Amino acid sequence: MSQQETHVFQAEIQQVLDIVIHSLYTDREVFVRELVSNAADACEKLRFLQAGGAAASVHQPDVAPAIRIETNAEAGTLAIADSGVGMTRDELVQNLGTIAHSGTKAFLKALADGARSDARLIGQFGVGFYSAFMVAKRVTVLTRSHQPDATGWRWTSEGAGGYRIEPAADLPRGTQVLLELKDDAKDFAGKARIESVVQRYSNFVAFPIDVDASRVNAVQAIWARSKADVTEEEYKAFYKFLGHDNEDPLYRLHFTADAPLSIQSVLFVPKHNLETLGLTRVDSEVNLHCRKVLIEPKAKGLFPDWLRFLKGVVDCEDLPLNVSRERMQDSALLRKLNRALTSKVLRFLGEESTKDPDAYAAFHAEYGRFLREGILSDHEHRDGLAKLLRFESSTQEPGKSTSLAAYVSRMPAEQKEIYFLQAPSRDAALSSPQHEVFAARNFEVLVLKDPADEFVLDRIGEFEGKRIVAAEKAELEVPEPAAAEGQLTPEQATGLAEWLKATLADAVAEVRVSKRLAASPVIAVDSDGFMTATMRCTLKAMNRDQKDQPASSPDLEINPRHPLVSRLEGMRHKDPDLAAQAAAQILDNARMAAGLVEDPRPMIQRMNQLLERVLA
Ligand code: ADP
Ligand code: MG
């Protein structure tokens, strides 16, 4: 035929195809879900056009959007047809020959890494259509756009080697995808097989689905039904269909609200998150409906950015149906909707955290970073988010975490503030000099393993009226320490502090006598009134430009009751040279304990010199 054109696929598509064709996937049936989901999308788009008053300008306005599936076991074929929007020639080339989705590279990487080498991921990256080639040796797409003056087209491909496009006469509005099945996939040409796959999620496809002319679904939007009428299985199936996920969700929230807006919604938290796996930045996958008509798939602005891991449906009756999508985005109505939905989700998570702490711990492990991001970026919900955070703590068993509220409830009357300490592990925190005053006073300390948490707690500032303070900045004293043998007099201690400052010079900002040490000789703390030493390290690591700058000098505090300190006082009068070497080493030990030593090599040299003198 003269009008037939041959095209090659864009390189990324070729790669996707190579992977789906040449890999043996156990869950090949996902292709049905993907093609039915595309057909449903096309029907949704048509319904949107018609709801907006475009009914007259749609080709075949009287043909309702619906999905028809036909099997032919004899021929070994399967056809999935819809009376949705259809595609023009340009749209065919654009949609089925190139990939605009940014997530595709991430998908290829995920498959190549083999980490989750899994065809079930395919729809999540916007390449669902190509799953057809897992089961089909040839795919033919017949389509006619809803546009009144459009004509029909036939698109054919055997996968590798590209596709052909040619005109096709006398097509009804919509799209038909015809699969000529591979020999090992002929079972999908059986009516019973297809029916059982389709039935699993057909009840929340909002359009009639017929398999070989018999209706398989009772169309009813799941979110519009009463909670009591929806079974656990239906929810799970709905989530899998909508979220292109084969795992059950971690959480489900189905609610209706009447004020301030009339909302019906089903929201899910996936068990795993592609962003947490480091694969890609996820986009919110919550579809916005109005009286069951899809207004905007993956709607922007429904939730704050830090809730972008949610999937589901929000149906709001108060939306003006024919409002343009652009205008929707910044309307006051959308802000109101955003606020109502967000507080609902925050409240839900709070309830779940008390109802089932173990499940909540799993949620927090997977999504804690989103909550922290919210605290840093979203002033409005900071207080609500603070309640949802969990931390390890000095008084809780290793691995168990606490909320700020539970921490406050355990505070003894004389404790006025909430304390935290950043350390690589709970053990390291408990054995650090910084923890001594807290151990001595029986004050609980939150243990932060993620350096970012310091900034998060700093941003929260206070909780239930209690200031949140870094352990290092706490103005606490060890209660009446027992007099130690040989301990320095106050005059001696001050004298030693002055000598140390003179000897260590710029390596320290200030030297003072400590009131917070019980067992350690010295402690190094940041000289900045606000930042902790570890915060400074984090900032330095993040800010590459400043990497070459010398580390700022810490304050050094000395413990006048410690034998090492009293011997140093004696030695500085006898052998000032040896005392100076020891002082430099003691400072480095303190810096090391505080996690501040970047390069240990100069220290090792000095240590060897000291050992040499000791062994002389
Ligand atoms: P996604 O659905 O995530 O966009 P797919 O690979 O499943 O990715 O489909 C690619 C595109 O092809 C769709 O976005 C849509 O524009 C178009 N398309 C696929 N199937 C149909 C259909 N039945 N009717 C109209 N357009 C379709
Ligand atoms: Mg799709």
Side-chain angles (χ1 to χ4, degrees):
M1 197 184 273
S2 62
Q3 285 194 65
Q4 179 172 318
E5 295 174 32
T6 307
H7 298 251
V8 290
F9 283 117
Q10 185 195 29
E12 278 96 346
I13 295 195
Q14 198 58 60
Q15 263 177 287
V16 171
L17 286 171
D18 286 346
I19 291 168
V20 298
I21 295 168
H22 298 296
S23 309
L24 266 182
Y25 291 117
T26 47
D27 280 299
R28 297 205 291 187
E29 68 176 44
V30 296
F31 86 91
V32 183
R33 179 186 76 193
E34 292 306 326
L35 295 182
V36 170
S37 133
N38 283 350
D41 288 350
C43 291
E44 294 274 17
K45 287 175 195 165
L46 187 90
R47 186 147 74 173
F48 181 83
L49 284 176
Q50 291 189 313
S57 57
V58 166
H59 182 61
Q60 294 181 319
D62 299 331
V63 176
I67 299 168
R68 271 175 298 106
I69 300 176
E70 265 153 41
T71 63
N72 186 333
E74 242 160 77
T77 62
L78 171 69
I80 297 176
D82 65 73
S83 46
V85 279
M87 285 178 272
T88 62
R89 186 189 170 284
D90 287 351
E91 284 167 341
L92 256 184
V93 172
Q94 189 63 39
N95 297 340
L96 303 186
T98 57
I99 305 182
H101 301 271
S102 58
T104 311
K105 289 218 161 60
F107 171 69
L108 291 169
K109 189 175 174 302
L111 288 185
D113 289 354
R116 285 159 65 95
S117 169
D118 199 327
R120 297 177 297 189
L121 280 174
I122 195 161
Q124 297 193 31
F125 289 97
V127 291
F129 172 77
Y130 305 100
S131 62
F133 290 97
M134 292 193 293
V135 294
K137 52 185 184 232
R138 182 183 297 125
V139 177
T140 302
V141 178
L142 292 162
T143 186
R144 189 210 187 277
S145 161
H146 66 278
Q147 296 174 17
D149 52 356
T151 53
W153 296 91
R154 177 198 309 275
W155 178 104
T156 321
S157 174
E158 279 99 50
Y163 58 93
R164 290 178 304 283
I165 288 191
E166 60 198 304
D170 300 326
L171 295 182
R173 184 195 69 221
T175 303
Q176 181 188 104
V177 180
L178 178 74
L179 310 181
E180 291 167 56
L181 295 164
K182 295 178 181 175
D183 289 341
D184 62 359
K186 291 272 199 268
D187 54 322
F188 290 111
K191 179 175 195 257
R193 176 86 167 98
I194 288 298
E195 235 172 21
S196 85
V197 179
V198 172
Q199 241 148 16
R200 241 171 285 149
Y201 48 75
S202 60
N203 270 341
F204 28 76
V205 172
F207 303 92
I209 303 181
D210 291 349
V211 174
D212 293 339
S214 57
R215 185 66 43 93
V216 293
N217 62 344
V219 179
Q220 209 180 7
I222 199 169
W223 59 90
R225 286 160 59 191
S226 124
K227 268 201 266 192
D229 295 344
V230 186
T231 67
E232 198 64 30
E233 287 318 307
E234 281 178 301
Y235 280 124
K236 285 179 182 170
F238 177 52
Y239 166 73
K240 288 176 185 177
F241 178 67
L242 176 109
H244 301 274
D245 193 348
N246 259 52
E247 281 181 311
D248 292 339
L250 188 61
Y251 281 138
R252 173 191 79 233
L253 167 60
H254 182 179
F255 72 95
T256 59
D258 295 321
L261 292 167
S262 157
I263 302 171
Q264 295 176 315
S265 176
V266 179
L267 299 171
F268 298 96
V269 176
K271 204 170 268 170
H272 296 288
N273 181 285
L274 295 171
E275 197 166 321
T276 313
L277 291 171
L279 287 177
T280 181
R281 188 188 150 84
V282 299
D283 280 325
S284 170
E285 284 189 41
V286 180
N287 300 336
L288 179 61
H289 293 245
C290 174
R291 299 166 200 270
K292 297 181 198 163
V293 176
L294 181 67
I295 302 291
E296 192 184 352
K298 305 184 184 182
K300 300 251 183 314
L302 271 188
F303 290 93
D305 227 21
W306 52 267
L307 277 175
R308 61 185 175 277
F309 54 86
L310 292 176
K311 297 188 178 192
V313 169
V314 169
D315 194 318
C316 177
E317 277 192 22
D318 304 306
L319 297 179
L321 243 191
N322 52 0
V323 77
S324 90
R325 295 177 193 204
E326 282 69 31
R327 267 192 36 229
M328 258 312 295
Q329 290 187 25
D330 46 28
S331 75
L333 187 66
L334 188 63
R335 274 202 300 282
K336 208 159 130 192
L337 188 56
N338 180 312
R339 202 166 299 140
L341 291 168
T342 307
S343 49
K344 193 84 197 177
V345 172
L346 284 176
R347 196 167 337 127
F348 168 77
L349 291 172
E351 285 162 9
E352 290 300 316
S353 74
T354 49
K355 225 194 283 169
D356 185 350
D358 287 343
Y360 186 76
F363 166 81
H364 193 274
E366 192 78 11
Y367 296 99
R369 61 150 78 187
F370 292 86
L371 303 181
R372 292 185 209 122
E373 180 188 319
I375 284 176
L376 294 175
S377 65
D378 185 348
H379 175 78
E380 191 179 340
H381 299 106
R382 190 166 299 155
D383 292 347
L385 281 163
K387 294 187 187 133
L388 295 177
L389 289 182
R390 297 292 180 268
F391 303 95
E392 285 197 57
S393 131
S394 58
T395 64
Q396 304 301 296
E397 283 167 49
K400 282 260 185 270
S401 58
T402 179
S403 64
L404 289 171
Y407 176 104
V408 169
S409 73
R410 287 188 294 265
M411 279 168 62
E414 68 274 20
Q415 184 183 342
K416 303 293 175 223
E417 298 169 322
I418 298 169
Y419 300 108
F420 66 84
L421 178 51
Q422 207 240 302
S425 70
R426 187 172 164 278
D427 282 349
L430 295 188
S431 60
S432 77
Q434 293 196 21
H435 186 252
E436 287 173 15
V437 67
F438 297 94
R441 303 203 50 175
N442 271 323
F443 287 179
E444 180 173 354
V445 182
L446 300 172
V447 178
L448 313 185
K449 287 198 210 148
D450 184 340
D453 276 343
E454 279 194 286
F455 294 91
V456 169
L457 282 176
D458 184 65
R459 189 63 69 88
I460 297 173
E462 64 170 60
F463 188 83
E464 294 183 4
K466 317 280 187 232
R467 274 206 328 136
I468 304 177
V469 178
E472 191 180 316
K473 302 292 174 195
E475 289 177 9
L476 293 177
E477 299 180 8
V478 172
E480 296 171 36
E485 203 183 326
Q487 83 176 54
L488 299 182
T489 64
E491 294 71 31
Q492 282 175 317
T494 321
L496 178 62
E498 279 164 14
W499 176 81
L500 277 167
K501 173 59 194 155
T503 307
L504 297 169
D506 288 345
V508 287
E510 200 185 292
V511 182
R512 55 178 175 263
V513 179
S514 185
K515 297 196 170 75
R516 66 170 110 193
L517 292 177
S520 298
V522 290
I523 183 171
V525 297
D526 200 89
S527 52
D528 188 294
F530 142 79
M531 229 186 294
T532 67
T534 41
M535 261 166 140
R536 190 179 295 285
C537 275
T538 309
L539 280 182
K540 206 174 160 211
M542 284 184 332
N543 194 343
R544 298 239 162 87
D545 299 344
Q546 292 183 359
K547 261 218 170 117
D548 297 333
Q549 285 186 9
S552 76
S553 306
D555 287 349
L556 185 70
E557 293 188 4
I558 58 173
N559 177 358
R561 291 176 303 280
H562 197 282
L564 185 58
V565 173
S566 51
R567 283 183 204 172
L568 183 64
E569 167 62 12
M571 184 57 72
R572 80 174 171 105
H573 297 292
K574 267 191 281 178
D575 186 344
D577 187 41
L578 176 60
Q581 257 186 349
Q585 186 58 46
I586 288 170
L587 170 63
D588 269 351
N589 290 353
R591 292 177 63 232
M592 192 111 95
L596 297 177
V597 172
E598 280 163 28
D599 183 2
R601 279 166 294 194
M603 190 174 91
I604 289 170
Q605 211 179 354
R606 182 188 325 109
M607 196 113 87
N608 286 336
Q609 285 166 4
L610 276 170
L611 283 172
E612 221 177 294
R613 298 187 71 151
V614 172
L615 298 174

